[in-house]
Amino acid sequence: MQIACVGGGPAGLYFSILTKRRRPQDEVTVHERLPADADVGWGVTFWADFLEDLRACDPESAGAIADHSVRWSGGVCHVAGEVVTRGGDEGYSIARRTLLDILGARARALGVRMIHDQEVSRSAQLPGADVIVVAEGAGSRLRQSQQPKFGTRITEGRNRFLWLGTDRVFESFTFAFVPTDTGDWLWCYAYPFSDGLSTFIVECSEAAWRALKLDALDREETLRLLERCFAEPLRGHALQCRAEEETGTGLWRTFRTITNDSWHARNMVLLGDAAHTTHYSIGAGTRLALQDASALSSALADHADGRADGGADLGAALGAYELRRKQELRRAQAAAHYSARWFEDFARYARLSPERLFAVLGQRHSPLLPHLPPALGYHVHHGLTAFPALRNLRRWAGHRLATTLHTGSAPASAAVPASRGPAVTREGVGPKR
Ligand SMILES: Cc1cc2nc3c(=O)[nH]c(=O)nc-3n(C[C@H](O)[C@H](O)[C@H](O)COP(=O)(O)OP(=O)(O)OC[C@H]3O[C@@H](n4cnc5c(N)ncnc54)[C@H](O)[C@@H]3O)c2cc1C
């Protein structure tokens, strides 16, 4: 079988690795528009069970990913100069570039053909391909070219965000909520991902973005303003912005939630962010993209086995892949929906004490929270998480409610550093940590 994979991001590379492992006789070519060393984005975070999943699929790349990841533990939340901490949470992060290097090297070693600096915009550019895997990310052009067949829906988030880096190395997953002179709030999520760098995502409402005139500032002015606003969690360190982050629409972006009624059309199949996106505040997009890759690779191999011509029963394989992944994704999509909404509704929670704010932030995937006054929401979740039996009841009720409220889906358990309980401690007023 000849397989053309458009997009050499995590999804496309991992699919090509798993396919070559299972079926070395297949010809797999990855077409990537960027040069091999292009650096887009900063670090991505993930949890221990993700490494277990990777080990089960391809121990070689899993070992390299584990070796190049950094581990963080605990949670810290800065709220208007006060600092609240929480123990227990533990996760890993890796530089996106390092992840792509590891996956690219492994793909090459298995015989995958990699073509860089090649943008594919029409399927006619890939005439010999039996299967075209569309792994181009959220802005997929091939998907757009067949939009009616896929039934693509795009929902723009209400907040603005910027994906930045900093040489301040955070030890814990850190949030900071900062009130500004205009009365609006800015906030960030930060975590380490290499020896000397951390990811630093800044977010705010559209109203804050306009009131602070962030729409009118250039890159340097934006970074200096944000460094002043976040001076306390940054401890005076600088923020960095990659040139690639600056698109035709400027530095700041809105998050686009993408869904597709169908994930395949003729011999084209969507993978990773091209098929679906989940808000970055649940830190799961890469994991879900790699799980898609594994499911698609298995479906193609399963349907090819036993066929005399060596090709797969394509329609059946792609249908089985789509069905499986749509079911598996429901919980994460619901969690992402409520998590994004929590940040969009941040003004509702801004008056909570720092401890309560941090506790409620840890429960942001809950479909209950938008329907309760914030203080009551805190008490309900505090009560429900204090005892194991009530925790289980809360989880069960949350899944049922999400099923009703969010297009037949239920929220994920903890794809994010969510609170496992209300054990937060205040560290003092405005210390320079
Ligand atoms: C701010 C932010 C923070 C995030 N943090 C996390 C995190 O902590 N943890 C996590 O798991 N996920 C995180 N994510 C999500 C994660 O980055 C994505 O879900 C993941 O990268 C999806 O992988 P992909 O391969 O499907 O798409 P992409 O990573 O977008 O890769 C697509 C590739 O296709 C290439 N391409 C595009 N168009 C063409 C074309 N026409 N021809 C050829 N090549 C093309 C692109 O150059 C790119 O290399 C974050 C996302 C954002 C925006």
Side-chain angles (χ1 to χ4, degrees):
M1 205 165 20
Q2 286 205 21
I3 302 176
C5 184
V6 183
L13 291 175
Y14 207 55
F15 167 81
S16 68
I17 290 170
L18 298 187
T19 300
K20 265 300 203 188
R21 266 177 66 98
R22 285 192 180 103
R23 291 174 49 83
Q25 70 275 27
D26 285 349
E27 279 179 38
V28 184
T29 307
V30 174
H31 305 260
E32 167 57 49
R33 69 176 169 185
L34 297 175
D37 58 354
D39 223 352
V40 179
W42 298 82
V44 289
T45 195
F46 58 90
W47 280 262
D49 54 348
F50 175 58
L51 279 178
E52 294 309 312
D53 289 353
L54 296 183
R55 278 195 190 97
C57 291
D58 181 47
E60 286 80 357
S61 54
I65 290 169
D67 289 347
H68 288 83
S69 296
V70 300
R71 197 167 171 173
W72 52 260
S73 63
V76 175
C77 187
H78 299 244
V79 185
E82 292 195 29
V83 183
V84 187
T85 61
R86 182 173 67 212
D89 299 326
E90 204 166 82
Y92 299 81
S93 314
I94 188 166
R96 178 182 157 92
R97 184 63 261 162
T98 307
L99 176 66
L100 296 180
D101 287 344
I102 290 169
L103 297 180
R106 177 75 177 131
R108 271 190 207 91
L110 288 165
V112 174
R113 198 168 153 235
M114 306 274 301
I115 305 177
H116 282 274
D117 297 296
Q118 190 195 45
E119 176 138 12
V120 177
S121 49
R122 289 169 295 112
S123 56
Q125 286 173 257
L126 308 163
D130 299 303
V131 187
I132 299 176
V133 177
V134 180
E136 297 168 294
S140 170
R141 293 183 66 181
L142 282 176
R143 183 196 63 214
Q144 281 158 17
S145 72
Q146 306 281 330
Q147 199 274 345
K149 289 186 184 146
F150 291 118
T152 308
R153 281 171 234 208
I154 302 179
T155 313
E156 293 281 343
R158 282 188 274 134
N159 286 348
R160 300 274 170 168
F161 77 92
L162 253 182
W163 194 357
L164 302 173
T166 174
D167 55 3
R168 152 91 158 98
V169 181
F170 292 88
E171 284 131 35
S172 303
F173 201 103
T174 302
F175 293 96
F177 295 89
V178 179
T180 66
D181 296 343
T182 61
D184 298 290
W185 290 75
L186 291 172
W187 55 89
C188 72
Y189 331 29
Y191 47 87
F193 67 87
S194 75
D195 285 346
L197 289 169
S198 297
T199 283
F200 199 91
I201 299 171
V202 179
E203 191 181 316
C204 62
S205 68
E206 171 87 16
W209 185 67
R210 292 199 184 283
L212 290 163
K213 305 209 178 340
L214 289 165
D215 54 336
L217 302 185
D218 67 18
R219 185 197 322 195
E220 285 308 310
E221 291 166 335
T222 303
L223 293 182
R224 301 297 87 81
L225 175 75
L226 295 177
E227 282 162 5
R228 284 198 296 280
C229 293
F230 291 106
E232 190 215 340
L234 280 171
R235 292 191 196 156
H237 284 260
L239 290 171
Q240 302 171 20
C241 178
R242 294 202 196 292
E244 291 86 348
E245 286 296 314
E246 201 159 2
T247 61
T249 54
L251 271 182
W252 293 81
R253 291 194 266 163
T254 53
F255 186 82
R256 286 178 299 165
T257 299
I258 290 166
T259 57
N260 288 279
D261 291 340
S262 174
W263 286 18
H264 61 99
R266 295 209 345 258
N267 68 337
M268 286 169 68
V269 57
L270 306 178
L271 189 73
D273 274 14
H276 55 82
T277 56
T278 46
H279 193 257
Y280 51 82
S281 62
I282 73 161
T286 306
R287 176 199 188 122
L288 298 172
L290 266 53
Q291 287 173 339
D292 285 355
S294 171
L296 178 60
S297 170
S298 300
L300 286 173
D302 290 349
H303 286 79
D305 285 349
R307 278 184 55 128
D309 61 2
D313 180 354
L314 201 56
L318 302 187
Y321 153 72
E322 175 178 337
L323 187 67
R324 174 180 162 190
R325 286 307 288 153
K326 279 188 169 170
Q327 282 171 351
E328 290 172 348
L329 276 163
R330 283 182 180 163
R331 293 173 63 173
Q333 285 175 322
H337 168 81
Y338 289 109
S339 180
R341 184 162 169 193
W342 192 92
F343 287 103
E344 290 178 347
D345 292 343
F346 175 73
R348 291 186 81 224
Y349 305 98
R351 285 170 185 269
L352 290 173
S353 68
E355 289 91 343
R356 290 186 176 184
L357 180 73
F358 196 18
V360 170
L361 172 66
Q363 302 298 335
R364 64 188 178 277
H365 323 111
S366 161
L368 275 178
L369 279 181
H371 304 282
L372 298 174
L376 181 60
Y378 165 76
H379 285 297
V380 168
H381 279 281
H382 180 89
L384 289 176
T385 51
F387 305 101
L390 288 179
R391 262 206 304 276
N392 291 338
L393 175 67
R394 179 187 69 95
R395 201 168 291 135
W396 176 81
H399 290 175
R400 294 296 297 246
L401 190 59
T403 305
T404 315
L405 296 177
H406 186 75
T407 58
S409 51
S413 45
V416 275
S419 172
R420 299 203 172 89
V424 290
T425 45
R426 187 187 292 224
E427 284 211 334
V429 177
K432 294 273 178 259
R433 286 164 49 80

